[in-house]
Amino acid sequence: MMGYHSRRHLILPEAQTLPVIAELLNQLKGEDHYVYERQSCWYLALGQRASLTVDAAGEQATTITDNGINTTRVKGSPAEYARRFQAAHGGENLRIYGEAGFHYALCVQEHAYKPGRWPVLNLIVPRDELIFCDNGVTVLAGDALRCRQLSDWILSAVAVAKRRGGDARLAHVAELACDQGDYCQRVCQAIEEINDAHYSKVILARAMPLKQSVDMAATLLRGRQANTPVRTFLLRQGEREAVGFCPELVMSVEQDKVSTDTLAGTSVKHQDAAPPNALLNHSLSDDKEIVEHVMSVRAAVEEMQGLCQPESVVINDLMSVRQRGNVQHLGSRVSGELGFGKDAWDAFDALFPAITATGVPKRAALSAIARLESSPRELYSGAILWLDGKAHFEAALVLRSAFQDSHQRWLQAGAGVIAQSSPIREFTETQEKLDSIAPYLVFQQKT
C-alpha cells in the first residue's frame, strides 16, 4: 500500500497540543477518527484508506478498501484475519489503529457468548495523520491539497482554543444510577463460587447508564488534565464513540520483546494524602490487596512462560505504586522474548483480555463473568490497538472510559473479587474508579 504523498511540519507549543486536538475534533464531527496518546506524543488518525471489522458475533470479517468490500466467514481466531490485513495494508510508514472488544477473547477460545452491538475487532489504516510531538505537529496527508487543508484547520484550531472558555456542564458520580444491592449480591455469589473452588479471582463490573450524550472531545480535554494514564484514547467509528484514560498496557511488543503490566490492588489518593513512601507502606499493609496482586502476577508469569522463550521471562518491576488519577494501584511488569515462530498477534491472543480485567484462572473467570454480568461489556476491559510498522504493537486496557452509540451511553467499572473480599468494599472500589472519569464528563449542549 502506498504511503503518504504530502507532509508538513508546524510549530506548536506542547501546552497547546490537547486544546488544539479537542478543537480539531469539533471540526471533524462527520469523519471517523482515532486519537491515541503514547508517551509524550499524540496521534490523530483521520478517515480510512483500509479497514477490517470482525462483527459482534465473531462470525464475519469484512475488509473495505478503495477496491471494494470483501466479507468472509471467520474460522478460528480473528488474529489470522488481522495478520492478513496487516500484511496487505500496513507498511513501514503506515500505522494501524484499532480496538478489540472484550468478546474477542471468547472468539479465540470458542466460548459461547451473547453478542453485543460493537465489533470484536476493528482495524484501520488512516487516510491522514497528525502527529503532535516535540513542540510541533507533523501533517501526513494523501495529497498536497489535503495537507494544506489540515494545516489551515490546525492554525484555526489554535486561535479558537485560545478564546474558548470553560462553560460546559460537568457530571458527578452522585448523579449516576446506583445499583449497590444488585452488585453486592453478585459479589456474594462470586465469593461462594470461589469458596467452592470454581476459580480464585474474578473481576465483576457494573455499568451506569447516562441520560445525555457525551461531548467526547471536551471530555478528553478535561479528563486528561485530571488523570495520569499510561495511554489516552478517543475514537469515533460510525455510530460508536469512546474516550478513556487507560491505566495499564495489556501488552507491548517491540521487535521480539513482549511485556505485560499487572495493576491489582486499589486505594484512593486524596488531595491531602501522605507522600509516596507512606502510600506504598499503606498499600503493602493491606493483606487483601497484596493477595489479589500476587495472584495476578503469578498468572501473568504463567501466561508469559507459555508464550516466550524458556528462561526469558522476568519480573521487571514488582508491586510499585502506580498513580492513576484519583486512585493508586500496586503495579508489576513481566517481560520476555517471544518464542520461536510466534508473533505479536500470538502474544495478543495469549495475554488478552488482561488478567486484571478477568480473573484467575482466566478461562473460568470468563465463564463467571458471562454468568454474573447481565449485559455485554462491548469495548469495556477490551483494548485499544496501535501498530507501528511490523516492529511495534501495543494494546492499552480500556478502563476509566465513557462509551456511547445510537442506542445507549454509559460508564463501567469493576473490582477484583477474591475469597477475602467484602461486597461493600468492592462496590466502593467501583465508585472510586468511576471518580477518575465521571466528574470530567462534558455533556452535549441541548439545542
Side-chain angles (χ1 to χ4, degrees), residues 257-289:
K257 182 177 181 179
V258 57
S259 301
T260 185
D261 287 339
T262 299
L263 269 64
T266 303
S267 59
V268 176
K269 181 180 183 300
H270 299 287
Q271 291 182 350
D272 57 350
N277 287 343
L279 294 171
L280 175 61
N281 291 334
H282 172 74
S283 298
L284 293 177
S285 67
D286 190 320
D287 290 345
K288 186 266 181 183
E289 303 295 346

Short mmCIF file of all heavy atoms in Angstrom, two decimals, residues 257-289:
data_model
loop_
_atom_site.label_atom_id
_atom_site.label_comp_id
_atom_site.label_asym_id
_atom_site.label_seq_id
_atom_site.Cartn_x
_atom_site.Cartn_y
_atom_site.Cartn_z
N LYS A 257 10.56 -8.55 21.86
CA LYS A 257 10.38 -8.47 23.31
C LYS A 257 8.93 -8.13 23.62
O LYS A 257 8.39 -7.15 23.10
CB LYS A 257 11.31 -7.42 23.92
CG LYS A 257 11.18 -7.35 25.44
CD LYS A 257 12.16 -6.36 26.04
CE LYS A 257 12.03 -6.31 27.56
NZ LYS A 257 12.98 -5.35 28.18
N VAL A 258 8.31 -8.93 24.48
CA VAL A 258 6.92 -8.71 24.86
C VAL A 258 6.85 -8.40 26.35
O VAL A 258 7.57 -9.00 27.16
CB VAL A 258 6.05 -9.93 24.50
CG1 VAL A 258 6.56 -11.20 25.17
CG2 VAL A 258 4.60 -9.69 24.89
N SER A 259 6.01 -7.44 26.71
CA SER A 259 5.82 -7.06 28.11
C SER A 259 4.33 -6.97 28.41
O SER A 259 3.52 -6.67 27.53
CB SER A 259 6.46 -5.70 28.40
OG SER A 259 7.84 -5.71 28.13
N THR A 260 3.98 -7.21 29.66
CA THR A 260 2.60 -7.04 30.11
C THR A 260 2.60 -6.42 31.49
O THR A 260 3.48 -6.73 32.32
CB THR A 260 1.83 -8.38 30.10
OG1 THR A 260 0.45 -8.15 30.43
CG2 THR A 260 2.41 -9.37 31.10
N ASP A 261 1.65 -5.53 31.74
CA ASP A 261 1.52 -4.89 33.05
C ASP A 261 0.42 -5.57 33.85
O ASP A 261 -0.56 -6.08 33.28
CB ASP A 261 1.17 -3.41 32.90
CG ASP A 261 2.35 -2.58 32.42
OD1 ASP A 261 3.49 -3.05 32.57
OD2 ASP A 261 2.12 -1.48 31.88
N THR A 262 0.57 -5.54 35.15
CA THR A 262 -0.46 -6.06 36.05
C THR A 262 -0.70 -5.04 37.15
O THR A 262 0.18 -4.79 37.97
CB THR A 262 -0.02 -7.40 36.68
OG1 THR A 262 0.18 -8.36 35.64
CG2 THR A 262 -1.09 -7.92 37.61
N LEU A 263 -1.88 -4.41 37.12
CA LEU A 263 -2.29 -3.50 38.17
C LEU A 263 -3.43 -4.14 38.94
O LEU A 263 -4.50 -4.39 38.38
CB LEU A 263 -2.75 -2.15 37.61
CG LEU A 263 -1.68 -1.06 37.45
CD1 LEU A 263 -0.63 -1.49 36.44
CD2 LEU A 263 -2.31 0.25 37.04
N ALA A 264 -3.21 -4.46 40.18
CA ALA A 264 -4.23 -5.06 41.02
C ALA A 264 -3.98 -4.63 42.45
O ALA A 264 -2.85 -4.68 42.93
CB ALA A 264 -4.21 -6.58 40.91
N GLY A 265 -5.04 -4.22 43.12
CA GLY A 265 -4.93 -3.62 44.44
C GLY A 265 -5.12 -2.13 44.28
O GLY A 265 -4.33 -1.46 43.62
N THR A 266 -6.20 -1.59 44.87
CA THR A 266 -6.59 -0.21 44.62
C THR A 266 -6.85 0.52 45.92
O THR A 266 -7.44 -0.02 46.85
CB THR A 266 -7.88 -0.17 43.77
OG1 THR A 266 -7.65 -0.88 42.55
CG2 THR A 266 -8.28 1.26 43.45
N SER A 267 -6.41 1.77 46.01
CA SER A 267 -6.77 2.65 47.12
C SER A 267 -6.86 4.06 46.59
O SER A 267 -6.30 4.40 45.55
CB SER A 267 -5.75 2.55 48.25
OG SER A 267 -4.46 2.90 47.79
N VAL A 268 -7.59 4.89 47.32
CA VAL A 268 -7.81 6.27 46.90
C VAL A 268 -6.69 7.16 47.40
O VAL A 268 -6.25 7.03 48.54
CB VAL A 268 -9.16 6.80 47.42
CG1 VAL A 268 -9.33 8.27 47.07
CG2 VAL A 268 -10.30 5.99 46.84
N LYS A 269 -6.22 8.05 46.52
CA LYS A 269 -5.25 9.07 46.93
C LYS A 269 -6.00 10.39 47.03
O LYS A 269 -6.44 10.95 46.03
CB LYS A 269 -4.12 9.20 45.91
CG LYS A 269 -3.08 10.24 46.32
CD LYS A 269 -1.99 10.33 45.26
CE LYS A 269 -0.90 11.31 45.68
NZ LYS A 269 -1.39 12.67 45.89
N HIS A 270 -6.19 10.88 48.24
CA HIS A 270 -6.88 12.15 48.45
C HIS A 270 -5.90 13.31 48.25
O HIS A 270 -4.69 13.14 48.23
CB HIS A 270 -7.47 12.19 49.85
CG HIS A 270 -8.49 11.11 50.09
ND1 HIS A 270 -9.74 11.12 49.52
CD2 HIS A 270 -8.41 9.95 50.81
CE1 HIS A 270 -10.40 10.03 49.90
NE2 HIS A 270 -9.61 9.31 50.67
N GLN A 271 -6.46 14.49 48.12
CA GLN A 271 -5.62 15.66 47.88
C GLN A 271 -4.60 15.88 48.99
O GLN A 271 -3.50 16.37 48.76
CB GLN A 271 -6.50 16.91 47.72
CG GLN A 271 -7.32 16.90 46.43
CD GLN A 271 -8.14 18.15 46.28
OE1 GLN A 271 -8.24 18.95 47.20
NE2 GLN A 271 -8.73 18.35 45.12
N ASP A 272 -4.99 15.53 50.23
CA ASP A 272 -4.07 15.72 51.36
C ASP A 272 -3.38 14.42 51.74
O ASP A 272 -3.01 14.20 52.88
CB ASP A 272 -4.82 16.28 52.57
CG ASP A 272 -5.99 15.38 52.98
OD1 ASP A 272 -6.32 14.45 52.22
OD2 ASP A 272 -6.56 15.62 54.06
N ALA A 273 -3.22 13.52 50.74
CA ALA A 273 -2.65 12.20 51.03
C ALA A 273 -1.21 12.31 51.46
O ALA A 273 -0.51 13.30 51.22
CB ALA A 273 -2.75 11.31 49.79
N ALA A 274 -0.76 11.23 52.08
CA ALA A 274 0.63 11.15 52.54
C ALA A 274 1.57 11.06 51.35
O ALA A 274 1.16 10.79 50.23
CB ALA A 274 0.78 9.93 53.44
N PRO A 275 2.87 11.27 51.58
CA PRO A 275 3.84 11.15 50.49
C PRO A 275 3.93 9.73 49.99
O PRO A 275 3.45 8.80 50.63
CB PRO A 275 5.15 11.60 51.15
CG PRO A 275 4.93 11.44 52.62
CD PRO A 275 3.48 11.70 52.85
N PRO A 276 4.56 9.52 48.80
CA PRO A 276 4.58 8.21 48.15
C PRO A 276 5.05 7.07 49.03
O PRO A 276 4.47 5.99 48.99
CB PRO A 276 5.51 8.43 46.95
CG PRO A 276 5.38 9.89 46.64
CD PRO A 276 5.19 10.56 47.96
N ASN A 277 6.10 7.26 49.82
CA ASN A 277 6.59 6.16 50.65
C ASN A 277 5.54 5.70 51.64
O ASN A 277 5.37 4.52 51.90
CB ASN A 277 7.87 6.58 51.39
CG ASN A 277 9.06 6.66 50.45
OD1 ASN A 277 9.02 6.12 49.35
ND2 ASN A 277 10.10 7.35 50.88
N ALA A 278 4.80 6.68 52.24
CA ALA A 278 3.75 6.31 53.18
C ALA A 278 2.60 5.61 52.47
O ALA A 278 2.01 4.66 52.98
CB ALA A 278 3.24 7.56 53.91
N LEU A 279 2.28 6.06 51.25
CA LEU A 279 1.23 5.41 50.46
C LEU A 279 1.64 3.98 50.14
O LEU A 279 0.82 3.06 50.19
CB LEU A 279 0.98 6.19 49.17
CG LEU A 279 0.39 7.59 49.34
CD1 LEU A 279 0.42 8.32 48.00
CD2 LEU A 279 -1.02 7.51 49.88
N LEU A 280 2.90 3.77 49.79
CA LEU A 280 3.38 2.44 49.50
C LEU A 280 3.25 1.55 50.73
O LEU A 280 2.77 0.42 50.65
CB LEU A 280 4.83 2.50 49.05
CG LEU A 280 5.54 1.16 48.81
CD1 LEU A 280 4.84 0.38 47.71
CD2 LEU A 280 7.00 1.38 48.46
N ASN A 281 3.64 2.06 51.89
CA ASN A 281 3.55 1.27 53.11
C ASN A 281 2.10 0.91 53.42
O ASN A 281 1.80 -0.19 53.88
CB ASN A 281 4.17 2.04 54.29
CG ASN A 281 5.67 2.17 54.16
OD1 ASN A 281 6.31 1.35 53.52
ND2 ASN A 281 6.24 3.22 54.76
N HIS A 282 1.18 1.87 53.17
CA HIS A 282 -0.23 1.59 53.41
C HIS A 282 -0.73 0.47 52.49
O HIS A 282 -1.41 -0.46 52.92
CB HIS A 282 -1.06 2.85 53.18
CG HIS A 282 -2.53 2.61 53.21
ND1 HIS A 282 -3.23 2.38 54.37
CD2 HIS A 282 -3.45 2.54 52.19
CE1 HIS A 282 -4.51 2.18 54.09
NE2 HIS A 282 -4.66 2.28 52.78
N SER A 283 -0.37 0.55 51.21
CA SER A 283 -0.81 -0.46 50.25
C SER A 283 -0.25 -1.83 50.60
O SER A 283 -0.92 -2.85 50.50
CB SER A 283 -0.39 -0.08 48.83
OG SER A 283 -0.99 1.14 48.45
N LEU A 284 1.01 -1.85 51.04
CA LEU A 284 1.66 -3.12 51.34
C LEU A 284 1.23 -3.70 52.68
O LEU A 284 1.61 -4.82 53.02
CB LEU A 284 3.18 -2.94 51.31
CG LEU A 284 3.78 -2.63 49.94
CD1 LEU A 284 5.28 -2.42 50.06
CD2 LEU A 284 3.47 -3.74 48.94
N SER A 285 0.44 -2.96 53.44
CA SER A 285 -0.05 -3.47 54.71
C SER A 285 -1.46 -4.04 54.60
O SER A 285 -2.00 -4.56 55.58
CB SER A 285 -0.04 -2.36 55.77
OG SER A 285 -0.98 -1.35 55.45
N ASP A 286 -2.07 -3.95 53.43
CA ASP A 286 -3.43 -4.45 53.22
C ASP A 286 -3.34 -5.87 52.66
O ASP A 286 -2.99 -6.07 51.49
CB ASP A 286 -4.17 -3.53 52.25
CG ASP A 286 -5.66 -3.86 52.16
OD1 ASP A 286 -6.00 -5.06 52.14
OD2 ASP A 286 -6.46 -2.92 52.09
N ASP A 287 -3.65 -6.86 53.49
CA ASP A 287 -3.49 -8.26 53.09
C ASP A 287 -4.30 -8.60 51.85
O ASP A 287 -3.81 -9.30 50.95
CB ASP A 287 -3.91 -9.19 54.24
CG ASP A 287 -2.93 -9.14 55.41
OD1 ASP A 287 -1.82 -8.63 55.21
OD2 ASP A 287 -3.30 -9.59 56.50
N LYS A 288 -5.53 -8.11 51.78
CA LYS A 288 -6.38 -8.43 50.63
C LYS A 288 -5.78 -7.90 49.34
O LYS A 288 -5.74 -8.60 48.31
CB LYS A 288 -7.78 -7.85 50.85
CG LYS A 288 -8.80 -8.25 49.77
CD LYS A 288 -8.92 -7.24 48.65
CE LYS A 288 -9.94 -7.64 47.61
NZ LYS A 288 -10.00 -6.69 46.48
N GLU A 289 -5.28 -6.67 49.35
CA GLU A 289 -4.70 -6.07 48.15
C GLU A 289 -3.45 -6.83 47.72
O GLU A 289 -3.21 -7.04 46.53
CB GLU A 289 -4.38 -4.60 48.39
CG GLU A 289 -5.57 -3.75 48.83
CD GLU A 289 -6.66 -3.65 47.78
OE1 GLU A 289 -6.41 -3.99 46.61
OE2 GLU A 289 -7.78 -3.22 48.13
#
